[in-house]
Amino acid sequence: MQLTQDTPDLAAYLAADDIIDHQHPLVRATADRLRSEAPGPYAYAEAAFTFVRDAVPHSSDSGDPRVSVRASEVLATRNGICHAKAHALVALLRAEATPAGLCYQKLDVVHGLIACLLPGRKHWARLDPRGNKEGVDARFGLDREQLAWPVRPELGEADYGHVHAAPHPAVLAAFVQATDSSRLLELLPTEL
């Protein structure tokens, strides 16, 4: 899928904000540790993806009721839904100067994933750090994506083809209103 940046300024995909808080000490420490284990931008990107996918359980899978939204919260609690895990992965990539942004799919609710632009590459690569379980097998791939769920157009599902520099406001609104992870899943938008 050809992806389009929602802003032409690549610097926006390296910036820190309240949610993608890659300058937070915990995000920096995690990035430093991963970089020491996997030097180089490609190895680091795969290590960061694998870490978020495997070491941060999806709230629905673990039953954890806490709502984490900021990248630093996700890493501190080791908990989050797909959107929160995407925030953490984007922050870890940006912490090491790899442009990264947020992508979305329309499934039964809006699903969050990421895209990154590694050195020497001309196209964004989508990655899905949701977390694997029975029936879900997301993998790191730059030339052939393997997301948690391929969309099924016949069921009204769709890939949104934009790379967002910041979380979508409709997704953030659900996080603000949610009292726990079950309520968050109920509040997520069904489309953008």
Side-chain angles (χ1 to χ4, degrees):
M1 159 177 251
Q2 185 70 28
L3 298 171
T4 305
Q5 294 174 208
D6 72 347
T7 180
D9 184 5
L10 196 59
Y13 298 93
L14 294 168
D17 61 29
D18 286 344
I19 304 301
I20 311 297
D21 57 347
H22 67 74
Q23 296 171 338
H24 188 280
L26 180 56
V27 177
R28 289 289 340 143
T30 305
D32 291 345
R33 181 179 58 75
L34 291 169
R35 184 181 14 83
S36 72
E37 297 169 1
Y42 286 81
Y44 174 83
E46 184 170 6
F49 167 80
T50 302
F51 174 78
V52 173
R53 184 194 64 191
D54 297 348
V56 178
H58 191 286
S59 302
S60 293
D61 299 342
S62 68
D64 192 327
R66 296 174 293 175
V67 175
S68 300
V69 64
R70 285 181 184 83
S72 57
E73 291 173 335
V74 174
L75 296 176
T77 62
R78 295 282 179 102
N79 157 66
I81 66 165
C82 58
H83 300 282
K85 291 174 61 122
H87 301 161
L89 181 53
V90 167
L92 288 170
L93 292 169
R94 289 183 185 182
E96 291 297 311
T98 296
L102 300 157
C103 296
Y104 301 97
Q105 291 177 310
K106 179 189 183 313
L107 303 174
D108 54 341
V109 296
V110 173
H111 173 61
L113 49 150
I114 75 117
C116 64
L117 187 61
L118 287 162
R121 299 194 57 93
K122 294 179 181 179
H123 301 288
W124 291 87
R126 289 192 307 171
L127 301 169
D128 192 342
R130 183 245 179 252
N132 290 339
K133 63 178 188 173
E134 187 174 331
V136 177
D137 186 25
R139 302 218 176 241
F140 182 85
L142 301 176
D143 295 317
R144 183 179 163 270
E145 67 182 22
Q146 187 168 336
L147 306 178
W149 291 286
V151 298
R152 300 166 296 179
E154 68 276 11
L155 298 178
E157 298 175 350
D159 282 312
Y160 294 111
H162 286 87
V163 182
H164 298 266
H168 194 282
V171 171
L172 284 182
F175 276 93
V176 169
Q177 296 174 40
T179 53
D180 61 35
S181 61
S182 295
R183 182 71 178 132
L184 176 57
L185 294 174
E186 295 170 1
L187 291 169
L188 285 173
T190 56
E191 61 186 334
L192 298 178

